[in-house]
Amino acid sequence: MQREVNSYLDEVRTHLHLDPRTSGRVINELSTHFEEKVSDLEQQGLEEADAARAALRSFGDARSIARLLDEAHSGGSWTEALIGCQPHLIVAALFATHVWRSPLLLGTAFTAIVVIALLGWRSGGASWMYSWIGYAVLPLLVLSYLSMDPVARTVSFVLNGQGSPAPLWHLGLLAGLYAFTLWLIASTAVAAARRDWILLSLMLLPLPVMGLWIITVTHSVGVLVGALRSLETRFSRWDAAMGYFFAVLGVTTALFVRVRQRAVKVGAVIAVGMVGSALAARSFWGDLGLLRLLAISFCLLLFLTVPLLLRTMLRRDEQSKEPLPS
Protein backbone atom coordinates (compact mmCIF):
# COMPACT_ATOMS: atom_id res chain seq x y z
CA MET A 1 0.00 0.00 0.00
CA GLN A 2 2.89 2.35 0.71
CA ARG A 3 3.98 1.90 -2.91
CA GLU A 4 0.58 3.17 -4.10
CA VAL A 5 0.82 6.19 -1.82
CA ASN A 6 4.32 7.02 -3.03
CA SER A 7 3.18 6.58 -6.64
CA TYR A 8 0.32 9.01 -6.04
CA LEU A 9 2.64 11.61 -4.50
CA ASP A 10 5.15 11.15 -7.32
CA GLU A 11 2.42 11.71 -9.90
CA VAL A 12 1.36 14.90 -8.14
CA ARG A 13 4.99 16.06 -8.09
CA THR A 14 5.34 15.31 -11.82
CA HIS A 15 2.45 17.61 -12.70
CA LEU A 16 3.53 20.46 -10.43
CA HIS A 17 5.10 23.48 -12.17
CA LEU A 18 6.81 24.98 -9.14
CA ASP A 19 10.46 25.54 -8.33
CA PRO A 20 12.15 22.52 -6.68
CA ARG A 21 12.16 24.04 -3.19
CA THR A 22 8.46 24.94 -3.23
CA SER A 23 7.54 21.65 -4.88
CA GLY A 24 9.32 19.68 -2.14
CA ARG A 25 7.58 21.67 0.58
CA VAL A 26 4.18 21.18 -1.04
CA ILE A 27 4.67 17.41 -1.38
CA ASN A 28 5.76 17.18 2.27
CA GLU A 29 2.62 19.07 3.34
CA LEU A 30 0.45 16.83 1.18
CA SER A 31 2.09 13.72 2.67
CA THR A 32 1.41 15.06 6.18
CA HIS A 33 -2.25 15.70 5.34
CA PHE A 34 -2.50 12.20 3.95
CA GLU A 35 -1.05 10.65 7.10
CA GLU A 36 -3.49 12.65 9.22
CA LYS A 37 -6.40 11.50 7.05
CA VAL A 38 -5.31 7.86 7.36
CA SER A 39 -4.99 8.25 11.14
CA ASP A 40 -8.52 9.71 11.39
CA LEU A 41 -9.95 6.85 9.35
CA GLU A 42 -8.14 4.27 11.49
CA GLN A 43 -9.66 5.81 14.59
CA GLN A 44 -13.05 5.30 12.97
CA GLY A 45 -12.32 1.55 12.81
CA LEU A 46 -10.82 1.00 9.36
CA GLU A 47 -7.78 -1.19 8.79
CA GLU A 48 -4.58 0.57 7.74
CA ALA A 49 -4.76 -0.60 4.10
CA ASP A 50 -8.45 0.28 3.80
CA ALA A 51 -7.85 3.64 5.46
CA ALA A 52 -5.03 4.42 3.00
CA ARG A 53 -7.20 3.52 0.00
CA ALA A 54 -10.06 5.63 1.31
CA ALA A 55 -7.67 8.55 1.88
CA LEU A 56 -6.37 8.29 -1.68
CA ARG A 57 -9.93 8.31 -3.05
CA SER A 58 -10.80 11.35 -0.94
CA PHE A 59 -7.81 13.30 -2.27
CA GLY A 60 -9.00 12.85 -5.86
CA ASP A 61 -7.16 12.78 -9.16
CA ALA A 62 -3.44 13.56 -8.93
CA ARG A 63 -3.52 15.97 -11.88
CA SER A 64 -6.43 17.91 -10.41
CA ILE A 65 -4.65 18.18 -7.07
CA ALA A 66 -1.47 19.33 -8.81
CA ARG A 67 -3.39 22.01 -10.73
CA LEU A 68 -4.98 23.33 -7.53
CA LEU A 69 -1.64 23.32 -5.73
CA ASP A 70 -0.05 25.15 -8.67
CA GLU A 71 -2.63 27.91 -8.53
CA ALA A 72 -2.23 28.19 -4.77
CA HIS A 73 1.56 28.53 -4.84
CA SER A 74 2.56 29.85 -8.28
CA GLY A 75 1.66 33.50 -7.84
CA GLY A 76 4.76 35.58 -7.21
CA SER A 77 5.06 38.74 -5.13
CA TRP A 78 5.16 42.24 -6.58
CA THR A 79 8.90 42.27 -5.85
CA GLU A 80 9.39 39.13 -7.96
CA ALA A 81 7.22 40.61 -10.72
CA LEU A 82 9.30 43.80 -10.78
CA ILE A 83 12.54 41.80 -10.88
CA GLY A 84 11.20 39.59 -13.67
CA CYS A 85 10.28 42.49 -15.95
CA GLN A 86 13.56 44.38 -15.51
CA PRO A 87 15.58 42.79 -18.37
CA HIS A 88 12.82 43.69 -20.84
CA LEU A 89 12.69 47.25 -19.53
CA ILE A 90 16.50 47.53 -19.69
CA VAL A 91 16.49 46.49 -23.35
CA ALA A 92 13.51 48.77 -24.04
CA ALA A 93 15.46 51.67 -22.54
CA LEU A 94 18.52 50.80 -24.65
CA PHE A 95 16.42 51.15 -27.80
CA ALA A 96 14.27 54.08 -26.70
CA THR A 97 17.33 56.19 -25.88
CA HIS A 98 19.46 54.81 -28.77
CA VAL A 99 22.07 53.88 -26.16
CA TRP A 100 22.51 50.42 -27.73
CA ARG A 101 24.86 52.11 -30.22
CA SER A 102 27.39 52.64 -27.41
CA PRO A 103 29.45 49.42 -27.13
CA LEU A 104 30.46 50.29 -23.55
CA LEU A 105 26.92 50.83 -22.26
CA LEU A 106 25.57 47.91 -24.27
CA GLY A 107 28.25 45.60 -22.88
CA THR A 108 27.68 46.84 -19.34
CA ALA A 109 23.92 46.24 -19.57
CA PHE A 110 24.27 42.68 -20.87
CA THR A 111 27.05 41.85 -18.41
CA ALA A 112 24.69 42.82 -15.59
CA ILE A 113 21.93 40.72 -17.15
CA VAL A 114 24.19 37.66 -17.40
CA VAL A 115 25.37 38.02 -13.79
CA ILE A 116 21.82 38.34 -12.42
CA ALA A 117 20.67 35.37 -14.53
CA LEU A 118 23.48 33.22 -13.09
CA LEU A 119 22.66 34.30 -9.54
CA GLY A 120 18.98 33.51 -10.11
CA TRP A 121 19.85 30.08 -11.52
CA ARG A 122 22.02 29.24 -8.52
CA SER A 123 19.36 30.42 -6.06
CA GLY A 124 16.96 27.64 -7.08
CA GLY A 125 15.20 28.89 -10.18
CA ALA A 126 12.37 31.29 -9.32
CA SER A 127 10.01 31.97 -12.22
CA TRP A 128 11.27 35.56 -12.63
CA MET A 129 14.72 34.20 -13.54
CA TYR A 130 13.72 32.84 -16.96
CA SER A 131 13.18 36.25 -18.53
CA TRP A 132 16.78 37.09 -17.58
CA ILE A 133 18.15 33.85 -19.03
CA GLY A 134 16.61 34.60 -22.42
CA TYR A 135 18.75 37.71 -22.70
CA ALA A 136 21.79 36.11 -21.07
CA VAL A 137 22.21 33.67 -23.98
CA LEU A 138 21.63 36.40 -26.59
CA PRO A 139 25.28 37.63 -26.81
CA LEU A 140 26.45 34.11 -27.73
CA LEU A 141 23.73 33.80 -30.37
CA VAL A 142 24.62 37.19 -31.87
CA LEU A 143 28.33 36.38 -31.86
CA SER A 144 27.67 33.03 -33.54
CA TYR A 145 25.53 34.68 -36.21
CA LEU A 146 28.02 37.47 -36.93
CA SER A 147 30.93 35.02 -37.18
CA MET A 148 29.39 32.90 -39.93
CA ASP A 149 31.16 34.71 -42.80
CA PRO A 150 34.46 32.73 -42.54
CA VAL A 151 32.45 29.49 -42.47
CA ALA A 152 30.41 30.57 -45.50
CA ARG A 153 33.58 31.50 -47.42
CA THR A 154 35.16 28.14 -46.59
CA VAL A 155 32.06 26.22 -47.68
CA SER A 156 31.94 28.21 -50.93
CA PHE A 157 35.60 27.41 -51.57
CA VAL A 158 35.09 23.68 -50.95
CA LEU A 159 31.93 23.39 -53.07
CA ASN A 160 32.61 25.87 -55.87
CA GLY A 161 36.33 26.60 -55.70
CA GLN A 162 35.60 30.30 -55.30
CA GLY A 163 37.19 32.69 -52.81
CA SER A 164 39.65 31.68 -50.11
CA PRO A 165 39.03 29.46 -47.08
CA ALA A 166 39.47 30.66 -43.52
CA PRO A 167 42.52 29.40 -41.57
CA LEU A 168 42.04 26.10 -39.74
CA TRP A 169 42.68 27.70 -36.35
CA HIS A 170 39.94 30.22 -37.08
CA LEU A 171 37.49 27.49 -38.06
CA GLY A 172 38.46 25.52 -34.94
CA LEU A 173 37.67 28.48 -32.69
CA LEU A 174 34.34 28.99 -34.43
CA ALA A 175 33.49 25.30 -34.10
CA GLY A 176 34.20 25.57 -30.36
CA LEU A 177 31.99 28.66 -30.12
CA TYR A 178 29.12 26.98 -31.98
CA ALA A 179 29.40 23.78 -29.93
CA PHE A 180 29.43 25.67 -26.63
CA THR A 181 26.47 27.84 -27.67
CA LEU A 182 24.42 24.82 -28.73
CA TRP A 183 25.30 22.93 -25.53
CA LEU A 184 24.42 25.88 -23.30
CA ILE A 185 21.09 26.54 -25.00
CA ALA A 186 20.13 22.86 -25.18
CA SER A 187 21.01 22.13 -21.55
CA THR A 188 19.22 25.27 -20.35
CA ALA A 189 16.15 24.47 -22.46
CA VAL A 190 15.96 20.91 -21.15
CA ALA A 191 16.32 22.05 -17.54
CA ALA A 192 13.58 24.67 -18.01
CA ALA A 193 11.25 22.26 -19.84
CA ARG A 194 11.61 19.63 -17.12
CA ARG A 195 10.08 22.10 -14.70
CA ASP A 196 7.49 23.77 -16.97
CA TRP A 197 7.37 24.22 -20.73
CA ILE A 198 5.75 27.66 -20.46
CA LEU A 199 8.80 28.93 -18.55
CA LEU A 200 10.93 27.93 -21.53
CA SER A 201 8.52 29.82 -23.81
CA LEU A 202 8.89 32.85 -21.55
CA MET A 203 12.67 32.51 -21.84
CA LEU A 204 12.50 32.35 -25.65
CA LEU A 205 9.94 35.15 -25.98
CA PRO A 206 12.30 38.04 -26.89
CA LEU A 207 14.52 36.04 -29.25
CA PRO A 208 12.39 36.02 -32.46
CA VAL A 209 11.97 39.80 -32.59
CA MET A 210 15.58 40.38 -31.64
CA GLY A 211 16.61 37.95 -34.37
CA LEU A 212 14.46 39.73 -36.96
CA TRP A 213 15.97 43.05 -35.95
CA ILE A 214 19.58 41.80 -36.12
CA ILE A 215 19.03 40.22 -39.55
CA THR A 216 17.37 43.40 -40.85
CA VAL A 217 20.09 45.69 -39.51
CA THR A 218 22.98 43.58 -40.76
CA HIS A 219 21.41 43.29 -44.22
CA SER A 220 20.95 47.07 -44.30
CA VAL A 221 24.45 48.16 -43.25
CA GLY A 222 26.55 45.05 -43.79
CA VAL A 223 27.55 44.36 -40.19
CA LEU A 224 26.15 45.24 -36.80
CA VAL A 225 29.18 47.43 -36.06
CA GLY A 226 28.08 49.68 -38.90
CA ALA A 227 24.73 50.16 -37.19
CA LEU A 228 26.53 51.11 -33.98
CA ARG A 229 28.02 54.06 -35.84
CA SER A 230 24.94 54.95 -37.86
CA LEU A 231 22.25 57.42 -36.86
CA GLU A 232 20.07 57.05 -39.91
CA THR A 233 16.37 57.84 -39.63
CA ARG A 234 15.23 54.29 -40.34
CA PHE A 235 17.19 52.98 -37.37
CA SER A 236 15.52 55.55 -35.13
CA ARG A 237 12.14 54.35 -36.36
CA TRP A 238 13.06 50.75 -35.61
CA ASP A 239 14.39 51.77 -32.21
CA ALA A 240 10.99 53.16 -31.26
CA ALA A 241 9.21 49.99 -32.38
CA MET A 242 11.70 47.80 -30.50
CA GLY A 243 11.38 49.95 -27.38
CA TYR A 244 7.58 49.61 -27.38
CA PHE A 245 7.76 45.87 -27.97
CA PHE A 246 10.15 45.15 -25.11
CA ALA A 247 8.19 47.43 -22.78
CA VAL A 248 5.11 45.31 -23.55
CA LEU A 249 7.18 42.19 -22.83
CA GLY A 250 8.04 43.69 -19.45
CA VAL A 251 4.38 44.18 -18.58
CA THR A 252 3.58 40.67 -19.83
CA THR A 253 6.32 39.14 -17.67
CA ALA A 254 5.10 40.99 -14.57
CA LEU A 255 1.60 39.63 -15.28
CA PHE A 256 3.05 36.15 -15.81
CA VAL A 257 4.82 36.19 -12.44
CA ARG A 258 1.88 37.62 -10.50
CA VAL A 259 -1.13 35.68 -11.77
CA ARG A 260 -1.95 32.20 -10.48
CA GLN A 261 -4.13 30.90 -13.33
CA ARG A 262 -2.03 28.85 -15.71
CA ALA A 263 -4.34 29.52 -18.69
CA VAL A 264 -3.71 33.26 -18.33
CA LYS A 265 0.05 32.72 -18.26
CA VAL A 266 -0.01 30.57 -21.40
CA GLY A 267 -2.37 32.91 -23.24
CA ALA A 268 -0.36 36.04 -22.38
CA VAL A 269 2.98 34.59 -23.52
CA ILE A 270 1.67 33.15 -26.79
CA ALA A 271 -0.53 36.13 -27.70
CA VAL A 272 2.17 38.74 -27.06
CA GLY A 273 4.78 36.65 -28.87
CA MET A 274 2.62 36.16 -31.96
CA VAL A 275 1.15 39.65 -32.25
CA GLY A 276 4.31 41.47 -31.18
CA SER A 277 6.52 39.60 -33.64
CA ALA A 278 4.10 40.18 -36.51
CA LEU A 279 3.94 43.92 -35.76
CA ALA A 280 7.73 44.11 -35.44
CA ALA A 281 8.14 42.38 -38.82
CA ARG A 282 5.69 44.87 -40.34
CA SER A 283 7.71 47.76 -38.86
CA PHE A 284 10.96 46.39 -40.32
CA TRP A 285 9.76 45.27 -43.75
CA GLY A 286 6.76 47.49 -44.42
CA ASP A 287 3.27 46.37 -45.39
CA LEU A 288 3.52 42.59 -45.79
CA GLY A 289 -0.15 41.89 -46.37
CA LEU A 290 -2.53 39.94 -44.18
CA LEU A 291 -1.47 36.48 -45.36
CA ARG A 292 2.23 37.07 -44.66
CA LEU A 293 1.47 38.51 -41.24
CA LEU A 294 -0.67 35.46 -40.46
CA ALA A 295 2.15 33.20 -41.67
CA ILE A 296 4.65 34.97 -39.39
CA SER A 297 2.24 34.70 -36.46
CA PHE A 298 1.74 30.99 -37.15
CA CYS A 299 5.51 30.41 -37.26
CA LEU A 300 5.83 32.19 -33.91
CA LEU A 301 3.03 30.04 -32.50
CA LEU A 302 4.97 26.93 -33.50
CA PHE A 303 8.18 28.39 -32.06
CA LEU A 304 6.59 29.15 -28.69
CA THR A 305 4.90 25.74 -28.45
CA VAL A 306 8.03 23.71 -29.28
CA PRO A 307 8.80 23.69 -25.51
CA LEU A 308 5.51 21.80 -25.00
CA LEU A 309 6.68 19.10 -27.40
CA LEU A 310 10.05 18.99 -25.65
CA ARG A 311 8.37 18.59 -22.27
CA THR A 312 6.19 15.78 -23.64
CA MET A 313 9.26 13.96 -24.95
CA LEU A 314 11.08 14.36 -21.65
CA ARG A 315 8.09 13.07 -19.70
CA ARG A 316 7.84 9.99 -21.91
CA ASP A 317 11.54 9.36 -21.45
CA GLU A 318 11.17 9.65 -17.66
CA GLN A 319 8.23 7.26 -17.65
CA SER A 320 10.10 4.71 -19.76
CA LYS A 321 12.90 4.65 -17.18
CA GLU A 322 10.59 4.05 -14.23
CA PRO A 323 10.80 0.47 -12.89
CA LEU A 324 7.77 -1.71 -13.50
CA PRO A 325 5.77 -2.57 -10.38
CA SER A 326 6.53 -6.02 -9.05
Side-chain angles (χ1 to χ4, degrees):
M1 193 63 217
Q2 186 60 41
R3 186 175 66 246
E4 296 178 16
V5 174
N6 292 337
S7 176
Y8 179 85
L9 294 176
D10 288 341
E11 187 176 358
V12 173
R13 187 196 304 271
T14 300
H15 292 95
L16 287 176
H17 303 291
L18 306 172
D19 63 87
R21 187 178 305 171
T22 304
S23 179
R25 188 181 73 249
V26 167
I27 292 298
N28 288 336
E29 292 175 355
L30 186 62
S31 178
T32 300
H33 291 319
F34 179 80
E35 292 173 358
E36 292 173 351
K37 181 67 173 179
V38 171
S39 178
D40 290 342
L41 292 173
E42 287 178 340
Q43 291 178 6
Q44 296 175 18
L46 292 180
E47 296 293 333
E48 180 180 358
D50 293 334
R53 293 189 184 93
L56 285 177
R57 288 194 300 269
S58 69
F59 272 53
D61 179 65
R63 292 194 178 193
S64 300
I65 290 294
R67 184 175 63 253
L68 293 174
L69 291 172
D70 264 339
E71 292 186 0
H73 294 87
S74 61
S77 65
W78 278 112
T79 300
E80 292 173 323
L82 289 174
I83 295 175
C85 71
Q86 288 309 304
H88 300 300
L89 298 183
I90 290 172
V91 175
L94 289 174
F95 280 107
T97 61
H98 314 300
V99 170
W100 68 270
R101 296 189 180 94
S102 168
L104 177 61
L105 295 177
L106 183 65
T108 301
F110 273 92
T111 298
I113 289 174
V114 171
V115 170
I116 294 174
L118 290 174
L119 292 175
W121 187 271
R122 292 188 60 184
S123 67
S127 58
W128 61 260
M129 172 196 69
Y130 291 89
S131 59
W132 292 82
I133 294 177
Y135 291 100
V137 300
L138 187 60
L140 282 175
L141 290 173
V142 173
L143 183 60
S144 298
Y145 171 74
L146 296 179
S147 64
M148 291 178 63
D149 181 64
V151 177
R153 286 191 291 106
T154 302
V155 172
S156 177
F157 176 80
V158 172
L159 296 180
N160 304 318
Q162 299 177 352
S164 57
L168 287 178
W169 66 267
H170 196 175
L171 294 176
L173 288 177
L174 291 179
L177 170 64
Y178 299 154
F180 176 73
T181 302
L182 287 174
W183 169 82
L184 180 63
I185 293 174
S187 59
T188 304
V190 169
R194 286 189 188 278
R195 175 178 166 187
D196 190 355
W197 69 270
I198 193 61
L199 290 176
L200 179 55
S201 294
L202 179 68
M203 186 181 87
L204 299 175
L205 191 56
L207 299 185
V209 169
M210 191 66 80
L212 290 175
W213 176 79
I214 291 173
I215 292 172
T216 303
V217 168
T218 53
H219 282 189
S220 297
V221 296
V223 292
L224 190 61
V225 175
L228 293 174
R229 299 169 181 167
S230 174
L231 293 176
E232 296 183 42
T233 304
R234 67 178 184 274
F235 290 131
S236 299
R237 184 179 70 250
W238 293 343
D239 282 1
M242 294 291 282
Y244 286 130
F245 174 75
F246 287 107
V248 171
L249 286 192
V251 175
T252 303
T253 301
L255 174 68
F256 182 95
V257 174
R258 280 290 297 168
V259 300
R260 299 178 183 273
Q261 292 78 12
R262 182 170 177 79
V264 177
K265 294 176 182 281
V266 175
V269 169
I270 292 180
V272 170
M274 291 174 57
V275 176
S277 298
L279 292 178
R282 187 177 186 277
S283 175
F284 300 153
W285 302 330
D287 189 6
L288 299 175
L290 179 60
L291 289 180
R292 291 182 180 179
L293 287 177
L294 290 176
I296 292 173
S297 298
F298 180 72
C299 290
L300 264 295
L301 174 63
L302 294 179
F303 177 77
L304 292 174
T305 53
V306 163
L308 176 59
L309 300 178
L310 175 61
R311 177 61 186 136
T312 302
M313 293 171 57
L314 291 172
R315 181 168 294 172
R316 288 178 179 174
D317 183 61
E318 292 167 357
Q319 292 174 347
S320 66
K321 293 179 180 178
E322 291 179 358
L324 295 175
S326 55

